[in-house]
Amino acid sequence: MADSIKLNNDFKGKDIISLNQFSPEDITTLFTHTNLMKNIAKNAQSSDILKGNIITLIFYESSSRTFGSFSAAMKQLGGQTVEIQNPQEFSSVSKGETLEDTIRVFEAYSDAIVIRHPQIGTALKAADAASFVPIINAGDGIGEHPTQALLDLYTIYEKYQRLGNLTVVFAGDILNGRTIHSLLKGLSLYKNNKIYLLSPKELRLDPHELSKFIKQGLYIMEIETEKEIPKNADIWYWTRVQKERFASLKDYDKVKNRYIVTKDFLKKYAGKETMLMHPLPRVGEIHREVDTDERAVYLSTEIRNGMYIRMALLGLILGKL
Amino acid sequence: MADSIKLNNDFKGKDIISLNQFSPEDITTLFTHTNLMKNIAKNAQSSDILKGNIITLIFYESSSRTFGSFSAAMKQLGGQTVEIQNPQEFSSVSKGETLEDTIRVFEAYSDAIVIRHPQIGTALKAADAASFVPIINAGDGIGEHPTQALLDLYTIYEKYQRLGNLTVVFAGDILNGRTIHSLLKGLSLYKNNKIYLLSPKELRLDPHELSKFIKQGLYIMEIETEKEIPKNADIWYWTRVQKERFASLKDYDKVKNRYIVTKDFLKKYAGKETMLMHPLPRVGEIHREVDTDERAVYLSTEIRNGMYIRMALLGLILGKL
Amino acid sequence: MADSIKLNNDFKGKDIISLNQFSPEDITTLFTHTNLMKNIAKNAQSSDILKGNIITLIFYESSSRTFGSFSAAMKQLGGQTVEIQNPQEFSSVSKGETLEDTIRVFEAYSDAIVIRHPQIGTALKAADAASFVPIINAGDGIGEHPTQALLDLYTIYEKYQRLGNLTVVFAGDILNGRTIHSLLKGLSLYKNNKIYLLSPKELRLDPHELSKFIKQGLYIMEIETEKEIPKNADIWYWTRVQKERFASLKDYDKVKNRYIVTKDFLKKYAGKETMLMHPLPRVGEIHREVDTDERAVYLSTEIRNGMYIRMALLGLILGKL
């Protein structure tokens, strides 16, 4: 299964389904190329690295950010896209065509297929169906979204030039946050990371997950109040606490204003170098007044890094880097 | 506010929100480049002027003509597009992401953002949110649609080699016609234009608007019957009279057939050189039999000019012309 | 009418509405170029044959396969597309703009228009409206879908190096199958073909159609059971038998499992060289276990040939081949 196929520092033609496929060495290779991509894009150099290549973006679920990021990444390198959005409303798929047949069709048109789907496991199913071209998972429901995790790791790496020996605070919905789980997985590959999970009791990490990470040697501390946030953390990774997750409104009311990042909150609890990340979209859990703070990277840096990571990944998988 | 930021003959990196930003000199600069673009497109020359550039087309409201025109304009010059249609149905935006955050995301992927939105003022709001790239207004509800006004002006300029000293008849819904208001604004920048506004009383220009234009020195005459149309007008600019605008059906019945352009109508009231324009879509207010008349430019010339204007504008704003 | 305008071995600027326009010589010309296109695509050569060309894909009905095929074909040759899906939900068209006006708009932006529409005759109507650019029919309801028929013919030609002297079995819904009618039309242009139509009585070819083909010299035999399938047929062309087509469930039950292709069915009734075709989408009438059989070409070969045929057709029509 592609899910567990290690990359072994050779990306060409490989499916990208899960962060589990990446070793620290693979990540280093990807990031080295990402640095190059950043230079190409920043200098508005016109690149023809992927000239003659076509990829299909097939999105069964809309996601303007991820869709736009892959589309732009391909075009930044001179490549082209075939773009299919919501094919379940398209005739063939709506007529009952299987995912497998749909994948076989689009692999005939393109050199790789980027798939987004609301159902967990679909990217792997697509990879099994494809005979000739690699599949890239752009998010499969509560499953994985490996390029999101990689852009988060790259953003950290870019600032600190390391992925170990870091103090990281995750806040918000630790239980359900797909991006948090993926990033924890990534950080567990490196040594001496200290993780703090800030959340109401109701939204703590699943105990099985927690003990799995601890067994892997990750230092994890669960905290509940802002006062327990360690001074001078290297990274804050913020997410939203959704009302719907709470059994009673009273429980929600207790915490709802607790994890809202304002200028004042930042001043009290963050360090001078603490990098403030967020996977987006945000809906109020970080105030707009914070956006101009130099430590805030969720808009701008993270978004751009997402495009650079995808440029590098596409270039490597298509064998052009 | 970008709305009032004058171009001062320097387009590079500027937002294009309103026709108010344009001086006659700016318009001349744009039209000079539009002439060049027309030659590139007409001779099917393959142009690489915008090679390496990517723009985002984000359309919150569908408009196949404007969307297609910007998309083709960019590609005619070797550039690329990231195309996002109806993002309010896309996850991030539908989850409550603000317009500001959405704009910040797409400016990370592209060199400019073209936005269409049903609500007035949205393009300006987007321009305020963007930190790095210019915003182009492709229509914001009852607000402005500057590239439409510019293509109208260019079509006039192309025929007459001037934008002053013209007799222009506007017909139909003068009160609500966004394109009429914009074109009036454009014509008011030039001397000795004579404007006739042909409409039922119910659909006359707002008196405040009227007096504003008159103060600016524009000669405006309000007329109500076809017989009052001046002989040998240089331009007829036709629009639709919508049934919904009338309080009583009786009032509508009185005028409904009055402003329908047929071959016969044209023969009676138009001059031999009168150019017949229409912003499209039309739904019966100009008969199809008129389409082949040499004076009719609403299909063909106006549509093509729309693409040429957008090519020139994109080239100038992206600093490649 | 473009429908009956013969190509006479000159494709440049011609509308492609119906298979009726093609003589055997035209088909040979197209296939010679299709061979070249196949080499370009297979060797991942970067081609610039259509650089500087733009076509509009306007799909009033969704069809991910045909849409993706035309989009990829254009981009494989370095060309660009303006993509408009479901314009009836777009403002101009939804406001009541006629098809003719819409076509006039998009011919101003592009060098050709590919149209898909649920209503028969629409492609021809579009061709009549267009003044400057060719129209390509990508399926007009129960009308024609010429590029589908051409890819079927090419797939046969590629294997047998001839289009006459073939034994072909069509199975399933012979009465309503648009692709079957088109392919029959194509095969009737060549000598000594033997056609077997395998279907329940309810789904036999319309008698008028049948006698028309027979008059043209085509050998046609109607059969009803799998045992009547000729040994060593050159081609099987399979389609689906839809429940809805039957007056009584009893009649349907009699046939429903009869024409399902399994490994076992193939072993019993097909020849060692019999090529198994299907226009897709399939929904169970060929089991997935058959997909890996070397004789099965419906996924892979047929799909890829569809792209090659469209590459060749676009190149010829745009005058670049």
Side-chain angles (χ1 to χ4, degrees):
Chain A
M1 299 215 300
D3 188 2
S4 54
I5 289 177
K6 299 292 181 184
L7 292 169
N8 289 328
N9 222 2
D10 178 14
F11 290 72
K12 192 177 171 184
K14 298 270 176 73
D15 302 312
I16 302 296
I17 307 303
S18 161
L19 200 63
N20 289 333
Q21 301 173 252
F22 288 78
S23 70
E25 202 191 350
D26 299 328
I27 289 174
T28 300
T29 298
L30 179 64
F31 288 1
T32 304
H33 285 96
T34 303
N35 289 336
L36 296 173
M37 297 301 106
K38 189 177 156 183
N39 280 331
I40 288 176
K42 278 226 161 175
N43 300 330
Q45 290 174 240
S46 163
S47 169
D48 278 341
I49 292 172
L50 295 184
K51 194 181 171 200
N53 283 119
I54 298 176
I55 62 169
T56 295
L57 307 181
I58 188 161
F59 274 54
Y60 288 78
E61 175 185 65
S62 298
S63 166
S64 53
R65 201 171 55 255
T66 305
F67 181 85
S69 185
F70 272 108
S71 179
M74 194 65 190
K75 289 163 185 168
Q76 285 275 3
L77 294 175
Q80 289 283 12
T81 55
V82 170
E83 304 186 347
I84 305 292
Q85 298 204 45
N86 302 311
Q88 62 277 27
E89 298 168 15
F90 277 64
S91 60
S92 296
V93 176
S94 70
K95 279 178 196 159
E97 185 173 77
T98 61
L99 175 82
E100 284 83 358
D101 279 14
T102 303
I103 293 298
R104 297 281 310 264
V105 165
F106 285 98
E107 71 171 343
Y109 302 154
S110 49
D111 304 314
I113 297 173
V114 176
I115 186 169
R116 170 92 167 199
H117 200 282
Q119 224 172 319
I120 188 171
T122 305
L124 186 56
K125 215 171 137 190
D128 286 341
S131 304
F132 307 107
V133 310
I135 301 294
I136 300 173
N137 185 1
D140 59 340
I142 57 163
E144 293 232 22
H145 188 0
T147 54
Q148 172 70 43
L150 290 165
L151 83 86
D152 285 333
L153 286 171
Y154 179 73
T155 303
I156 295 170
Y157 176 81
E158 200 186 21
K159 179 171 170 69
Y160 292 106
Q161 296 298 313
R162 67 179 193 272
L163 289 167
N165 200 22
L166 294 164
T167 302
V168 187
V169 178
F170 289 90
D173 187 346
I174 312 291
L175 178 61
N176 303 290
R178 175 179 65 180
T179 56
I180 293 176
H181 302 174
S182 292
L183 191 46
L184 278 174
K185 207 185 272 186
L187 291 171
S188 74
L189 296 173
Y190 298 88
K191 290 193 177 156
N192 299 324
N193 285 319
K194 285 192 176 178
I195 309 297
Y196 292 81
L197 304 177
L198 171 64
S199 76
K201 279 202 185 77
E202 292 87 343
L203 300 178
R204 280 189 178 164
L205 194 62
D206 177 279
H208 291 97
E209 287 288 307
L210 180 67
S211 69
K212 211 177 66 186
F213 281 122
I214 289 173
K215 270 180 202 152
Q216 283 170 9
L218 205 58
Y219 172 101
I220 299 189
M221 178 78 82
E222 293 183 305
I223 60 179
E224 212 180 325
T225 65
E226 56 275 33
K227 289 171 191 165
E228 300 166 79
I229 295 175
K231 292 289 161 214
N232 298 317
D234 298 304
I235 295 135
W236 281 11
Y237 193 94
W238 233 250
T239 67
R240 186 154 55 108
V241 171
Q242 289 177 282
K243 205 174 179 173
E244 311 86 87
R245 304 293 188 190
F246 289 82
S248 89
L249 203 64
K250 224 171 103 186
D251 290 341
Y252 173 69
D253 281 341
K254 271 193 287 181
V255 301
K256 69 174 176 186
N257 291 319
R258 187 169 267 169
Y259 308 133
I260 305 293
V261 180
T262 60
K263 270 195 172 177
D264 195 50
F265 187 99
L266 212 58
K267 203 173 174 183
K268 273 193 196 148
Y269 305 109
K272 278 187 181 161
E273 290 295 322
T274 303
M275 180 161 68
L276 179 54
M277 303 176 74
H278 190 294
L280 299 187
R282 64 157 164 184
V283 191
E285 60 275 19
I286 300 179
H287 276 204
R288 284 201 67 195
E289 62 180 23
V290 173
D291 296 0
T292 50
D293 191 292
E294 281 189 3
R295 291 165 292 182
V297 299
Y298 39 87
L299 294 164
S300 63
T301 309
E302 278 194 84
I303 300 296
R304 274 196 293 277
N305 285 345
M307 185 172 71
Y308 306 150
I309 275 281
R310 287 167 185 124
M311 289 167 73
L313 197 63
L314 289 168
L316 286 166
I317 285 171
L318 296 170
K320 298 292 179 68
L321 287 179
Chain B
M1 297 214 301
D3 188 2
S4 55
I5 289 176
K6 300 291 181 185
L7 291 169
N8 290 327
N9 222 1
D10 178 14
F11 290 73
K12 192 177 170 183
K14 297 270 178 69
D15 302 312
I16 302 296
I17 307 303
S18 161
L19 201 62
N20 288 333
Q21 301 173 250
F22 288 79
S23 71
E25 201 192 350
D26 299 329
I27 289 173
T28 301
T29 298
L30 179 63
F31 288 0
T32 305
H33 284 96
T34 304
N35 289 336
L36 296 173
M37 297 300 106
K38 190 178 154 183
N39 281 331
I40 288 176
K42 279 226 162 175
N43 300 329
Q45 288 173 243
S46 162
S47 169
D48 278 341
I49 292 172
L50 294 184
K51 193 179 172 203
N53 283 118
I54 297 175
I55 62 168
T56 295
L57 306 181
I58 187 161
F59 274 53
Y60 287 79
E61 176 185 65
S62 298
S63 166
S64 53
R65 200 170 56 254
T66 304
F67 180 85
S69 186
F70 272 110
S71 178
M74 194 65 191
K75 288 162 187 171
Q76 285 276 2
L77 294 175
Q80 288 283 12
T81 55
V82 169
E83 305 186 347
I84 305 292
Q85 298 205 43
N86 302 311
Q88 62 277 27
E89 298 167 16
F90 276 64
S91 60
S92 296
V93 176
S94 70
K95 279 179 198 160
E97 185 174 77
T98 62
L99 176 80
E100 286 82 359
D101 278 14
T102 303
I103 293 297
R104 298 279 312 261
V105 166
F106 285 98
E107 71 172 341
Y109 302 154
S110 49
D111 304 314
I113 297 172
V114 177
I115 185 169
R116 169 92 169 200
H117 200 282
Q119 223 172 320
I120 188 170
T122 305
L124 186 56
K125 215 172 137 191
D128 286 340
S131 306
F132 307 108
V133 309
I135 302 294
I136 300 174
N137 186 0
D140 59 340
I142 57 165
E144 293 231 22
H145 188 0
T147 55
Q148 171 72 41
L150 290 164
L151 82 87
D152 286 333
L153 287 170
Y154 179 73
T155 303
I156 296 170
Y157 177 81
E158 200 186 21
K159 178 172 170 69
Y160 292 106
Q161 296 299 313
R162 66 179 193 275
L163 289 168
N165 201 22
L166 294 164
T167 302
V168 187
V169 179
F170 289 90
D173 187 347
I174 312 291
L175 179 60
N176 303 292
R178 176 179 66 183
T179 57
I180 293 176
H181 302 174
S182 292
L183 191 47
L184 279 173
K185 207 183 273 185
L187 290 171
S188 74
L189 296 174
Y190 298 88
K191 289 193 178 155
N192 299 325
N193 286 320
K194 285 194 176 178
I195 310 296
Y196 293 81
L197 304 177
L198 171 64
S199 76
K201 279 201 184 78
E202 292 88 342
L203 300 178
R204 280 189 178 164
L205 195 62
D206 177 279
H208 291 98
E209 288 288 307
L210 180 66
S211 69
K212 212 177 66 186
F213 282 122
I214 289 173
K215 270 179 203 155
Q216 283 170 9
L218 206 58
Y219 172 101
I220 299 190
M221 178 78 83
E222 292 183 306
I223 59 179
E224 212 179 325
T225 66
E226 55 277 32
K227 289 171 191 163
E228 300 166 80
I229 294 174
K231 293 288 160 217
N232 299 317
D234 297 305
I235 295 136
W236 281 11
Y237 193 93
W238 233 250
T239 66
R240 185 153 55 108
V241 171
Q242 289 176 280
K243 205 174 180 173
E244 311 85 87
R245 304 293 189 189
F246 289 83
S248 88
L249 203 63
K250 226 170 99 184
D251 291 342
Y252 174 68
D253 281 340
K254 270 193 287 183
V255 302
K256 69 174 175 187
N257 292 320
R258 188 168 267 169
Y259 307 133
I260 305 293
V261 181
T262 59
K263 270 194 170 177
D264 195 50
F265 187 98
L266 212 58
K267 205 174 174 183
K268 272 195 197 148
Y269 304 108
K272 277 190 181 158
E273 290 296 320
T274 304
M275 180 162 67
L276 178 55
M277 301 175 75
H278 190 293
L280 300 188
R282 64 158 164 185
V283 192
E285 59 276 19
I286 301 178
H287 276 204
R288 285 201 67 196
E289 61 181 23
V290 174
D291 296 0
T292 50
D293 192 291
E294 280 188 3
R295 292 166 289 184
V297 299
Y298 39 85
L299 293 166
S300 63
T301 309
E302 277 194 86
I303 299 296
R304 273 195 294 276
N305 285 346
M307 185 172 71
Y308 306 149
I309 275 282
R310 288 169 184 122
M311 288 167 74
L313 196 64
L314 289 168
L316 286 166
I317 286 170
L318 296 170
K320 298 293 179 68
L321 288 179
Chain C
M1 299 215 299
D3 187 2
S4 56
I5 289 177
K6 299 292 182 185
L7 293 168
N8 289 328
N9 222 1
D10 178 14
F11 290 72
K12 193 177 170 184
K14 298 270 177 71
D15 301 313
I16 301 295
I17 308 302
S18 161
L19 200 62
N20 288 333
Q21 301 173 251
F22 288 79
S23 70
E25 202 191 349
D26 299 330
I27 290 174
T28 301
T29 298
L30 180 64
F31 287 1
T32 305
H33 285 96
T34 305
N35 289 336
L36 296 172
M37 296 300 107
K38 189 177 156 183
N39 281 331
I40 288 175
K42 278 226 161 176
N43 301 329
Q45 288 174 242
S46 161
S47 169
D48 277 341
I49 292 173
L50 295 183
K51 194 180 170 202
N53 283 118
I54 298 175
I55 62 169
T56 295
L57 306 181
I58 188 162
F59 274 53
Y60 287 79
E61 175 185 64
S62 297
S63 166
S64 54
R65 201 170 55 253
T66 304
F67 180 85
S69 186
F70 271 109
S71 178
M74 193 66 189
K75 288 163 186 170
Q76 285 276 1
L77 295 175
Q80 288 282 12
T81 56
V82 170
E83 305 186 347
I84 306 292
Q85 298 204 45
N86 302 311
Q88 63 277 27
E89 299 168 16
F90 276 64
S91 60
S92 297
V93 175
S94 70
K95 278 179 199 159
E97 185 173 77
T98 61
L99 176 81
E100 285 82 358
D101 279 14
T102 304
I103 293 297
R104 297 280 310 263
V105 165
F106 285 98
E107 70 172 341
Y109 302 154
S110 49
D111 304 313
I113 297 173
V114 177
I115 185 170
R116 169 93 169 199
H117 200 282
Q119 225 172 319
I120 188 170
T122 305
L124 186 56
K125 215 170 137 190
D128 286 340
S131 305
F132 307 107
V133 309
I135 301 293
I136 300 174
N137 185 0
D140 59 340
I142 56 163
E144 292 231 24
H145 188 359
T147 54
Q148 171 71 41
L150 289 165
L151 82 86
D152 285 333
L153 286 171
Y154 179 73
T155 303
I156 296 170
Y157 175 81
E158 200 187 20
K159 180 174 170 68
Y160 292 106
Q161 296 298 315
R162 67 179 194 272
L163 289 168
N165 200 22
L166 293 165
T167 302
V168 187
V169 179
F170 288 90
D173 187 347
I174 312 293
L175 179 61
N176 303 291
R178 175 179 67 181
T179 56
I180 293 176
H181 302 174
S182 293
L183 191 47
L184 279 174
K185 207 183 270 184
L187 290 171
S188 74
L189 296 173
Y190 299 88
K191 289 192 178 156
N192 299 325
N193 285 320
K194 285 193 177 177
I195 310 296
Y196 293 80
L197 304 177
L198 171 64
S199 77
K201 279 202 185 76
E202 291 87 342
L203 299 179
R204 280 189 178 164
L205 196 62
D206 177 279
H208 292 98
E209 287 288 306
L210 180 67
S211 69
K212 210 178 67 185
F213 281 123
I214 288 172
K215 271 180 201 153
Q216 284 171 8
L218 206 58
Y219 172 101
I220 299 189
M221 178 78 82
E222 293 183 305
I223 59 178
E224 211 179 326
T225 65
E226 55 275 32
K227 288 171 192 165
E228 299 167 79
I229 295 174
K231 292 289 162 215
N232 298 316
D234 297 305
I235 295 136
W236 282 11
Y237 193 94
W238 232 251
T239 66
R240 187 154 53 108
V241 171
Q242 289 177 281
K243 206 174 178 172
E244 310 86 85
R245 304 295 188 189
F246 290 83
S248 88
L249 203 65
K250 226 172 101 187
D251 291 342
Y252 174 68
D253 281 340
K254 269 195 288 184
V255 301
K256 70 174 175 185
N257 292 319
R258 189 170 265 169
Y259 307 133
I260 306 293
V261 181
T262 59
K263 271 195 172 178
D264 195 49
F265 187 97
L266 211 58
K267 204 174 174 183
K268 273 194 196 149
Y269 304 110
K272 278 188 180 160
E273 290 296 320
T274 303
M275 181 162 66
L276 178 55
M277 302 176 74
H278 189 294
L280 300 188
R282 64 154 165 187
V283 191
E285 60 276 19
I286 300 178
H287 276 204
R288 285 200 67 196
E289 61 180 24
V290 173
D291 295 1
T292 50
D293 192 292
E294 281 189 2
R295 291 165 290 183
V297 299
Y298 39 86
L299 293 166
S300 62
T301 309
E302 278 194 84
I303 299 296
R304 273 195 295 275
N305 285 346
M307 184 173 71
Y308 305 149
I309 275 282
R310 288 168 184 123
M311 289 166 73
L313 196 64
L314 289 167
L316 287 166
I317 285 171
L318 296 170
K320 298 291 180 69
L321 288 180

